[in-house]
Amino acid sequence: MKSTTQYFFRSMCLAFFVFLISFTAHLTAQNQKDSSPSKFLIEIEKTNTKIKLVCLTGCNWKELHYTTTNANLLQAIDQYGMTELSKRDRIEIDSDSNTFLFTIEQHNGTLTLSGVEGTAWKELSFSCKQTMCKQAFDQFGMTRSN
């Protein structure tokens, strides 16, 4: 009787261990995102009063713009348009879509772009102290628009 109980207990422990390893591996696989950059080309234009973005390729939008009355406004942009970083976690992303996310911040005549997802860059910044300036960027960094 004792050996049957020990056998049953060992079998249950082994089954639980296998389940635990499988479950952990599944969760790890779900949390890993494809680290390859998405394909997009965007042109950003800044004037004294607004920031305008024109997507040349890779977005579900063509043009976005907002006023820059607040110099330190942090604006998040993804493949669907303007968004908020706090809402991003609640949106289920289609794994086949061209997924990217970056933020734009303006401070003392400098525009700073921070890559959050789908970019090969972490941060891009350029001085824009003129009345109007324009810069193109893609998933790899600053570039020229064709």
Side-chain angles (χ1 to χ4, degrees):
M1 187 76 147
K2 187 176 182 182
S3 65
T4 306
T5 305
Q6 286 177 340
Y7 176 75
F8 177 75
F9 180 72
R10 285 183 184 164
S11 296
M12 291 304 292
C13 285
L14 181 62
F16 178 72
F17 181 72
V18 169
F19 169 77
L20 188 61
I21 295 294
S22 299
F23 184 71
T24 304
H26 178 70
L27 286 179
T28 303
Q30 280 184 334
N31 288 333
Q32 290 177 343
K33 293 182 179 178
D34 184 11
S35 61
S36 61
S38 297
K39 287 187 173 189
F40 63 87
L41 177 59
I42 299 172
E43 193 172 74
I44 187 167
E45 181 181 313
K46 183 204 168 292
T47 65
N48 286 337
T49 59
K50 77 176 182 178
I51 292 178
K52 175 178 151 184
L53 294 115
V54 177
C55 184
L56 303 171
T57 185
C59 310
N60 292 331
W61 50 271
K62 294 292 179 194
E63 187 174 305
L64 304 171
H65 60 87
Y66 60 95
T67 58
T68 57
T69 54
N70 183 354
N72 294 321
L73 174 70
L74 180 72
Q75 180 61 59
I77 307 289
D78 66 9
Q79 68 276 11
Y80 299 113
M82 291 186 196
T83 187
E84 295 177 24
L85 290 176
S86 60
K87 291 182 179 180
R88 183 66 176 184
D89 293 337
R90 290 183 245 146
I91 299 171
E92 189 167 322
I93 303 300
D94 180 9
S95 61
D96 294 333
S97 70
N98 192 39
T99 304
F100 64 85
L101 175 65
F102 61 89
T103 61
I104 304 170
E105 189 170 16
Q106 174 186 307
H107 187 68
N108 292 334
T110 300
L111 282 177
T112 302
L113 309 175
S114 297
V116 178
E117 182 180 334
T119 64
W121 44 270
K122 294 291 180 199
E123 187 173 287
L124 302 172
S125 64
F126 59 98
S127 179
C128 195
K129 296 185 182 195
Q130 301 91 5
T131 305
M132 192 211 57
C133 63
K134 194 185 278 192
Q135 177 64 54
F137 62 96
D138 63 12
Q139 67 273 15
F140 298 113
M142 291 187 198
T143 188
R144 293 182 184 184
S145 56
N146 294 329

